[in-house]
Amino acid sequence: MIIAQQKRKENIAEYLLYLWQVEDMIRAAHFDIDVIDRNIIQRFDADEQQRHDMREWYEGLIKMMELENIRDHGHMQICKNVLIRLTDLHQQLLKSDKFPEYGAEYYRTLPFIVELRAKMPEAEKTGELETCFNALYGVLLLKLQGKEISQGTGVAIAQISRFIGMLAAFFKKDEQSPIFDNDHDF
């Protein structure tokens, strides 16, 4: 909860990846709040009120995941909403002539997206941004497991990271002061 709030303020991409990690932690704990309490909440440097709030946050996520029927796989609607907002902004940025650097970064990333989609048949069902996030999350999981990634994967992830980082920076700017007017200034 505390980490999620901080990431949400600072970097929407990190926030989304963090929520995906939380979903997986909840699944690993078999949706048992007591396991989450013992293994996560009680190990957090927080006072009792913060721990209580964290427990309520995790309980809310557990209920959400159960209601949305994503016990085994899939993402919560709040995660999907973040992706929708990012995709909308992405499309606006691409259509606008005000941000040529964004379009250039996207087109430098596109060959890697195409390659990922060719290697992962399930990626055809997802959008380009979700493909990028899936790649970033997959590499994060590999690193957490202490596994190596190939040089080619490293190059692809570095480019995808730059692109998603740029999109996240535009998202933050847009939240602080809208980049586009209501008529989608493009």
Side-chain angles (χ1 to χ4, degrees):
M1 176 191 86
I2 296 169
I3 295 170
Q5 290 171 340
Q6 190 67 28
K7 288 190 178 297
R8 175 65 180 86
K9 287 179 196 169
E10 294 174 5
N11 186 314
I12 194 70
E14 289 181 9
Y15 170 72
L16 182 61
L17 292 170
Y18 179 75
L19 286 180
W20 285 7
Q21 188 177 18
V22 168
E23 289 171 334
D24 282 346
M25 288 188 302
I26 289 171
R27 289 180 182 116
H30 305 288
F31 291 74
D32 186 335
I33 190 62
D34 293 325
V35 171
I36 293 168
D37 191 36
R38 265 192 319 276
N39 295 324
I40 299 171
I41 298 169
Q42 293 305 317
R43 293 181 182 192
F44 206 84
D45 184 24
D47 62 36
E48 282 309 307
Q49 182 60 49
Q50 288 172 317
R51 285 192 178 121
H52 172 76
D53 294 345
M54 290 172 68
R55 185 178 173 104
E56 283 186 346
W57 184 72
Y58 276 103
E59 286 174 332
L61 294 178
I62 288 169
K63 286 178 186 166
M64 226 182 286
M65 290 175 70
E66 288 174 336
L67 287 171
E68 294 176 19
N69 199 25
I70 56 165
R71 286 188 66 91
D72 298 324
H73 63 278
H75 299 296
M76 295 178 288
Q77 190 61 48
I78 56 174
C79 296
K80 292 176 185 178
N81 291 346
V82 169
L83 265 173
I84 289 167
R85 287 189 63 198
L86 285 170
T87 300
D88 289 346
L89 180 60
H90 167 70
Q91 293 300 324
Q92 290 176 338
L93 289 165
L94 285 179
K95 290 177 183 175
S96 174
D97 58 1
K98 291 183 183 179
F99 307 102
E101 70 280 7
Y102 181 81
E105 199 65 43
Y106 167 71
Y107 287 109
R108 280 191 288 275
T109 309
L110 190 56
F112 297 110
I113 296 170
V114 170
E115 185 178 344
L116 283 167
R117 291 168 76 91
K119 289 180 180 178
M120 302 169 10
E122 67 276 5
E124 290 180 18
K125 298 175 187 166
T126 64
E128 292 174 339
L129 292 183
E130 190 169 352
T131 298
C132 290
F133 278 101
N134 283 333
L136 293 171
Y137 189 66
V139 168
L140 171 69
L141 292 179
L142 289 173
K143 286 182 179 181
L144 289 173
Q145 296 168 9
K147 295 183 179 176
E148 296 286 322
I149 60 168
S150 70
Q151 183 178 3
T153 299
V155 169
I157 291 300
Q159 179 57 45
I160 290 169
S161 294
R162 277 191 299 277
F163 167 61
I164 294 296
M166 182 179 273
L167 177 59
F170 275 114
F171 183 89
K172 186 174 181 177
K173 274 186 200 176
D174 190 54
E175 280 203 320
Q176 293 167 348
S177 176
I179 297 171
F180 301 101
D181 64 22
N182 290 338
D183 294 333
H184 302 294
D185 188 20
F186 52 83

